CSV table of all heavy atoms in Angstrom, one decimal:
chain,number,residue,atom,x,y,z
A,1,CYS,N,17.1,44.9,-18.1
A,1,CYS,CA,16.9,43.5,-18.7
A,1,CYS,C,16.7,43.6,-20.2
A,1,CYS,O,16.1,44.6,-20.7
A,1,CYS,CB,15.8,42.8,-18.0
A,1,CYS,SG,15.6,41.1,-18.5
A,2,ILE,N,17.2,42.7,-20.9
A,2,ILE,CA,17.0,42.6,-22.3
A,2,ILE,C,16.5,41.2,-22.7
A,2,ILE,O,17.1,40.2,-22.2
A,2,ILE,CB,18.2,43.0,-23.1
A,2,ILE,CG1,17.9,43.1,-24.6
A,2,ILE,CG2,19.4,42.0,-22.9
A,2,ILE,CD1,18.9,43.8,-25.4
A,3,SER,N,15.5,41.1,-23.5
A,3,SER,CA,14.8,39.8,-23.8
A,3,SER,C,15.5,39.2,-25.0
A,3,SER,O,15.9,39.9,-26.0
A,3,SER,CB,13.3,40.0,-24.1
A,3,SER,OG,12.7,38.9,-24.5
A,4,ALA,N,15.6,37.9,-25.1
A,4,ALA,CA,16.1,37.2,-26.2
A,4,ALA,C,15.0,37.0,-27.3
A,4,ALA,O,15.4,36.8,-28.5
A,4,ALA,CB,16.6,35.8,-25.8
A,5,THR,N,13.8,37.0,-26.9
A,5,THR,CA,12.7,36.7,-27.9
A,5,THR,C,12.4,37.9,-28.8
A,5,THR,O,12.2,37.7,-30.0
A,5,THR,CB,11.4,36.4,-27.1
A,5,THR,OG1,11.1,37.4,-26.2
A,5,THR,CG2,11.6,35.0,-26.4
A,6,ASP,N,12.3,39.1,-28.3
A,6,ASP,CA,12.0,40.3,-29.1
A,6,ASP,C,12.9,41.4,-28.9
A,6,ASP,O,12.7,42.5,-29.4
A,6,ASP,CB,10.6,40.7,-28.9
A,6,ASP,CG,10.3,41.0,-27.4
A,6,ASP,OD1,11.2,41.0,-26.6
A,6,ASP,OD2,9.1,41.3,-27.1
A,7,ASP,N,14.0,41.3,-28.2
A,7,ASP,CA,15.0,42.2,-27.9
A,7,ASP,C,14.4,43.4,-27.1
A,7,ASP,O,15.0,44.5,-27.1
A,7,ASP,CB,15.7,42.8,-29.1
A,7,ASP,CG,16.4,41.6,-29.8
A,7,ASP,OD1,17.0,40.7,-29.2
A,7,ASP,OD2,16.5,41.7,-31.1
A,8,SER,N,13.3,43.2,-26.5
A,8,SER,CA,12.7,44.3,-25.6
A,8,SER,C,13.6,44.6,-24.5
A,8,SER,O,14.3,43.7,-23.9
A,8,SER,CB,11.3,43.9,-25.1
A,8,SER,OG,10.4,43.7,-26.2
A,9,THR,N,13.7,45.8,-24.1
A,9,THR,CA,14.5,46.2,-23.0
A,9,THR,C,13.6,46.8,-21.9
A,9,THR,O,12.6,47.4,-22.1
A,9,THR,CB,15.6,47.2,-23.4
A,9,THR,OG1,14.9,48.4,-24.0
A,9,THR,CG2,16.5,46.6,-24.4
A,10,TYR,N,14.1,46.7,-20.7
A,10,TYR,CA,13.4,47.2,-19.5
A,10,TYR,C,14.4,47.9,-18.6
A,10,TYR,O,15.6,47.4,-18.4
A,10,TYR,CB,12.7,46.1,-18.8
A,10,TYR,CG,11.7,45.3,-19.7
A,10,TYR,CD1,12.2,44.3,-20.4
A,10,TYR,CD2,10.4,45.7,-19.8
A,10,TYR,CE1,11.3,43.6,-21.3
A,10,TYR,CE2,9.6,45.0,-20.6
A,10,TYR,CZ,10.0,44.0,-21.4
A,10,TYR,OH,9.2,43.3,-22.2
A,11,TYR,N,14.0,48.9,-17.9
A,11,TYR,CA,14.8,49.7,-17.0
A,11,TYR,C,14.1,50.0,-15.8
A,11,TYR,O,12.9,50.4,-15.8
A,11,TYR,CB,15.3,51.0,-17.7
A,11,TYR,CG,16.1,50.7,-19.0
A,11,TYR,CD1,15.4,50.8,-20.2
A,11,TYR,CD2,17.5,50.5,-18.9
A,11,TYR,CE1,16.2,50.5,-21.4
A,11,TYR,CE2,18.2,50.3,-20.1
A,11,TYR,CZ,17.5,50.3,-21.3
A,11,TYR,OH,18.2,50.1,-22.5
A,12,ALA,N,14.8,50.0,-14.7
A,12,ALA,CA,14.3,50.5,-13.4
A,12,ALA,C,14.1,52.0,-13.6
A,12,ALA,O,14.8,52.7,-14.3
A,12,ALA,CB,15.2,50.2,-12.3
A,13,ASP,N,13.1,52.5,-12.9
A,13,ASP,CA,12.8,54.0,-13.0
A,13,ASP,C,14.0,54.8,-12.6
A,13,ASP,O,14.2,55.9,-13.2
A,13,ASP,CB,11.6,54.3,-12.1
A,13,ASP,CG,10.3,53.8,-12.7
A,13,ASP,OD1,10.2,53.5,-13.9
A,13,ASP,OD2,9.3,53.7,-11.9
A,14,SER,N,14.8,54.3,-11.7
A,14,SER,CA,15.9,55.1,-11.2
A,14,SER,C,17.0,55.3,-12.2
A,14,SER,O,17.9,56.2,-12.0
A,14,SER,CB,16.5,54.4,-9.9
A,14,SER,OG,16.9,53.1,-10.2
A,15,VAL,N,17.0,54.4,-13.2
A,15,VAL,CA,18.1,54.5,-14.2
A,15,VAL,C,17.6,54.8,-15.6
A,15,VAL,O,18.4,55.1,-16.5
A,15,VAL,CB,18.9,53.2,-14.3
A,15,VAL,CG1,19.4,52.8,-12.9
A,15,VAL,CG2,18.1,52.1,-14.9
A,16,LYS,N,16.3,54.9,-15.8
A,16,LYS,CA,15.7,55.2,-17.1
A,16,LYS,C,16.2,56.5,-17.7
A,16,LYS,O,16.2,57.5,-17.0
A,16,LYS,CB,14.2,55.2,-17.0
A,16,LYS,CG,13.4,54.9,-18.2
A,16,LYS,CD,11.9,54.7,-18.0
A,16,LYS,CE,11.7,53.4,-17.1
A,16,LYS,NZ,10.2,53.2,-16.8
A,17,GLY,N,16.6,56.5,-18.9
A,17,GLY,CA,17.1,57.6,-19.5
A,17,GLY,C,18.6,57.8,-19.4
A,17,GLY,O,19.2,58.7,-20.1
A,18,ARG,N,19.2,57.1,-18.4
A,18,ARG,CA,20.6,57.2,-18.2
A,18,ARG,C,21.4,56.0,-18.6
A,18,ARG,O,22.6,56.0,-19.0
A,18,ARG,CB,20.9,57.5,-16.7
A,18,ARG,CG,20.3,58.8,-16.3
A,18,ARG,CD,20.7,59.1,-14.8
A,18,ARG,NE,20.3,58.1,-13.9
A,18,ARG,CZ,21.1,57.4,-13.1
A,18,ARG,NH1,22.4,57.6,-13.2
A,18,ARG,NH2,20.6,56.6,-12.2
A,19,PHE,N,20.8,54.8,-18.4
A,19,PHE,CA,21.4,53.5,-18.7
A,19,PHE,C,20.8,53.0,-20.0
A,19,PHE,O,19.6,53.1,-20.3
A,19,PHE,CB,21.2,52.5,-17.6
A,19,PHE,CG,21.9,52.8,-16.3
A,19,PHE,CD1,22.6,54.1,-16.1
A,19,PHE,CD2,22.0,51.9,-15.3
A,19,PHE,CE1,23.2,54.4,-14.9
A,19,PHE,CE2,22.6,52.2,-14.1
A,19,PHE,CZ,23.2,53.4,-13.9
A,20,THR,N,21.7,52.2,-20.8
A,20,THR,CA,21.2,51.6,-22.0
A,20,THR,C,21.8,50.1,-22.0
A,20,THR,O,23.0,50.0,-21.8
A,20,THR,CB,21.7,52.3,-23.2
A,20,THR,OG1,21.2,53.7,-23.2
A,20,THR,CG2,21.1,51.6,-24.5
A,21,ILE,N,20.9,49.2,-22.2
A,21,ILE,CA,21.3,47.8,-22.3
A,21,ILE,C,21.3,47.3,-23.7
A,21,ILE,O,20.4,47.7,-24.5
A,21,ILE,CB,20.5,46.9,-21.4
A,21,ILE,CG1,21.1,45.5,-21.3
A,21,ILE,CG2,19.0,46.8,-21.9
A,21,ILE,CD1,20.4,44.6,-20.2
A,22,SER,N,22.2,46.5,-24.1
A,22,SER,CA,22.3,46.1,-25.5
A,22,SER,C,23.0,44.8,-25.6
A,22,SER,O,23.7,44.4,-24.7
A,22,SER,CB,23.0,47.1,-26.4
A,22,SER,OG,24.3,47.3,-26.0
A,23,GLN,N,22.8,44.1,-26.7
A,23,GLN,CA,23.4,42.8,-27.0
A,23,GLN,C,24.5,42.9,-28.0
A,23,GLN,O,24.3,43.6,-29.0
A,23,GLN,CB,22.4,41.8,-27.4
A,23,GLN,CG,21.3,41.5,-26.4
A,23,GLN,CD,20.1,40.9,-27.1
A,23,GLN,OE1,19.6,41.3,-28.1
A,23,GLN,NE2,19.5,39.9,-26.5
A,24,GLU,N,25.6,42.3,-27.8
A,24,GLU,CA,26.7,42.2,-28.8
A,24,GLU,C,26.9,40.8,-29.1
A,24,GLU,O,27.7,40.1,-28.5
A,24,GLU,CB,27.9,42.9,-28.4
A,24,GLU,CG,27.8,44.4,-28.1
A,24,GLU,CD,29.1,45.1,-27.8
A,24,GLU,OE1,30.1,44.4,-27.6
A,24,GLU,OE2,29.1,46.3,-27.7
A,25,PHE,N,26.1,40.3,-30.1
A,25,PHE,CA,26.0,38.8,-30.3
A,25,PHE,C,27.4,38.3,-30.7
A,25,PHE,O,27.7,37.2,-30.4
A,25,PHE,CB,25.0,38.5,-31.4
A,25,PHE,CG,23.6,38.7,-30.9
A,25,PHE,CD1,22.9,39.9,-31.2
A,25,PHE,CD2,22.9,37.8,-30.2
A,25,PHE,CE1,21.5,40.0,-30.8
A,25,PHE,CE2,21.6,37.9,-29.7
A,25,PHE,CZ,20.9,39.1,-30.0
A,26,ALA,N,28.1,39.0,-31.5
A,26,ALA,CA,29.4,38.5,-32.0
A,26,ALA,C,30.4,38.3,-30.9
A,26,ALA,O,31.3,37.5,-31.0
A,26,ALA,CB,30.0,39.5,-33.0
A,27,LYS,N,30.2,39.0,-29.8
A,27,LYS,CA,31.1,38.9,-28.7
A,27,LYS,C,30.5,38.2,-27.5
A,27,LYS,O,31.1,38.1,-26.4
A,27,LYS,CB,31.5,40.3,-28.2
A,27,LYS,CG,32.3,41.1,-29.2
A,27,LYS,CD,32.7,42.5,-28.7
A,27,LYS,CE,33.5,43.3,-29.7
A,27,LYS,NZ,33.8,44.6,-29.2
A,28,ASN,N,29.3,37.6,-27.7
A,28,ASN,CA,28.5,36.9,-26.7
A,28,ASN,C,28.5,37.8,-25.4
A,28,ASN,O,28.8,37.3,-24.3
A,28,ASN,CB,29.2,35.6,-26.4
A,28,ASN,CG,29.1,34.6,-27.5
A,28,ASN,OD1,28.1,34.6,-28.3
A,28,ASN,ND2,30.2,33.9,-27.8
A,29,THR,N,28.1,39.0,-25.6
A,29,THR,CA,28.2,40.0,-24.5
A,29,THR,C,26.9,40.8,-24.4
A,29,THR,O,26.4,41.2,-25.5
A,29,THR,CB,29.4,40.9,-24.7
A,29,THR,OG1,30.6,40.1,-24.7
A,29,THR,CG2,29.5,42.0,-23.6
A,30,VAL,N,26.5,41.1,-23.2
A,30,VAL,CA,25.5,42.1,-23.0
A,30,VAL,C,26.1,43.3,-22.3
A,30,VAL,O,26.9,43.1,-21.3
A,30,VAL,CB,24.3,41.6,-22.1
A,30,VAL,CG1,23.4,42.7,-21.6
A,30,VAL,CG2,23.5,40.5,-22.8
A,31,VAL,N,25.9,44.5,-22.8
A,31,VAL,CA,26.5,45.7,-22.4
A,31,VAL,C,25.5,46.6,-21.6
A,31,VAL,O,24.4,46.7,-22.1
A,31,VAL,CB,27.1,46.5,-23.5
A,31,VAL,CG1,27.6,47.9,-23.1
A,31,VAL,CG2,28.3,45.7,-24.1
A,32,LEU,N,25.9,47.1,-20.5
A,32,LEU,CA,25.2,48.1,-19.8
A,32,LEU,C,26.0,49.4,-19.9
A,32,LEU,O,26.9,49.6,-19.2
A,32,LEU,CB,24.9,47.7,-18.4
A,32,LEU,CG,24.0,48.7,-17.6
A,32,LEU,CD1,22.5,48.7,-18.2
A,32,LEU,CD2,23.9,48.3,-16.1
């Protein structure tokens, strides 16, 4: 999950260190 307020990110333990979530505002897209 990625927050709109502070851009904090959260990951399930099972994917931590392997997955990265980010926002691409110009493309109105969230990437995993």
Side-chain angles (χ1 to χ4, degrees):
C1 185
I2 187 163
S3 173
T5 54
D6 58 6
D7 298 328
S8 296
T9 57
Y10 303 88
Y11 300 93
D13 289 340
S14 59
V15 307
K16 201 170 297 181
R18 300 188 297 120
F19 292 9
T20 303
I21 190 170
S22 61
Q23 300 158 316
E24 297 185 353
F25 289 100
K27 298 180 180 179
N28 298 320
T29 299
V30 169
V31 169
L32 184 68

